[in-house]
Amino acid sequence: MNEGPSIDHWLGTDDQGHDVLSRLIAGTRLSLMFGAGAALIALGIGAALSLMALSLGRIVETGVFSMFDLIRALPGILFALAFVAAFEPGAFSVMLALGVSFSPMFAMITRATWRQQMARPYVAAAQVLGASRLRITIVHVLPNIIGALITQFAIILPRCIVLESVMSFLGLGVSPETPTWGRMIANATQYTEAAPHAVLAPIIALSVATFGMALIGDALRRGFDPDRRRIAL
């Protein structure tokens, strides 16, 4: 147990004698799955509710975005901790908590791009032809804001992975046997001096993954930015 790197175990073993590399690979899939699940929930809640509110008029818009402002007023980790503490801790509770806490970011980007698209000539043409506001939003505006939502998703995904790791580290996420990066870090911290490899491996993997996804999100943002494309041309 807590053996150092060797030919048989390239990244060593943990305190239970498990191969760190094998658990790291399994944790990569689980951490990405939890992070993507939370980001998808945030996308679904934020984009769907904001588009519905924007289509139904000023009163509904004010009520819905007041709710998003209330969620946004709290730090994401604090809201997620309170949410999970109110319900039963577990993987789904963590994904739902993170999804709700990040939903205002999708709502704000949706409202900004919606207003930008509603000022375009093709929307005025659709209104002249008698299309309702809801139909214009779904048929004409939505396809033109998907790029902004994809970019926002790529930016939010690494943040969800990091916060899921923090929640697992605090014992509010997955069970101790589940090898997510946060759980691996939590299990290995008490043996840092005896087996630093067991805690460094998931920390490095988490850092590399979040940095890489941040670069992808920035590239997508620049690629979907019409002003930048116009300058490049």
Side-chain angles (χ1 to χ4, degrees):
M1 298 182 181
N2 284 332
E3 298 178 2
S6 63
I7 296 178
D8 295 329
H9 304 286
W10 290 6
L11 295 180
T13 61
D14 60 13
D15 61 297
Q16 299 295 323
H18 300 138
D19 183 73
V20 173
L21 179 59
S22 299
R23 288 175 64 82
L24 189 66
I25 294 173
T28 301
R29 178 180 61 84
L30 292 172
S31 294
L32 288 175
M33 181 182 69
F34 290 139
L40 284 173
I41 292 174
L43 171 62
I45 295 175
L49 283 181
S50 58
L51 286 175
M52 180 194 70
L54 291 166
S55 301
L56 295 179
R58 180 66 63 180
I59 296 177
V60 178
E61 177 185 349
T62 301
V64 170
F65 279 92
S66 296
M67 178 191 68
F68 283 129
D69 288 336
L70 180 62
I71 296 173
R72 193 173 55 165
L74 295 173
I77 183 62
L78 180 61
F79 179 86
L81 287 172
F83 189 96
V84 173
F87 298 93
E88 182 179 357
F92 181 75
S93 296
V94 170
M95 284 195 296
L96 186 59
L98 294 178
V100 173
S101 65
F102 282 113
S103 62
M105 296 186 179
F106 285 99
M108 300 306 161
I109 196 69
T110 299
R111 180 169 64 176
T113 51
W114 182 89
R115 288 177 174 174
Q116 183 184 45
Q117 293 299 320
M118 289 295 287
R120 297 292 176 87
Y122 73 88
V123 172
Q127 291 173 337
V128 170
L129 294 175
S132 65
R133 197 173 185 180
L134 180 61
R135 177 178 174 80
I136 292 173
T137 297
I138 296 175
V139 177
H140 301 286
V141 176
L142 180 58
N144 290 288
I145 67 174
I146 289 178
L149 295 177
I150 293 174
T151 302
Q152 189 72 4
F153 180 87
I155 295 172
I156 294 298
L157 176 56
R159 299 178 64 177
C160 289
I161 293 176
V162 171
L163 284 184
E164 184 279 325
S165 298
V166 173
M167 301 287 283
S168 295
F169 179 81
L170 296 175
L172 297 175
V174 298
S175 62
E177 297 79 16
T178 305
T180 62
W181 291 337
R183 180 56 66 180
M184 290 178 66
I185 295 171
N187 293 341
T189 48
Q190 55 186 321
Y191 305 102
T192 302
E193 295 184 1
H197 59 274
V199 68
L200 284 176
I203 289 176
I204 293 173
L206 180 61
S207 302
V208 171
T210 52
F211 181 69
M213 291 177 187
L215 290 178
I216 293 173
D218 184 66
L220 287 173
R221 179 184 61 81
R222 288 186 280 109
F224 282 113
D225 189 341
D227 295 328
R228 289 180 177 270
R229 289 202 303 267
R230 193 177 299 116
I231 293 173
L233 291 175

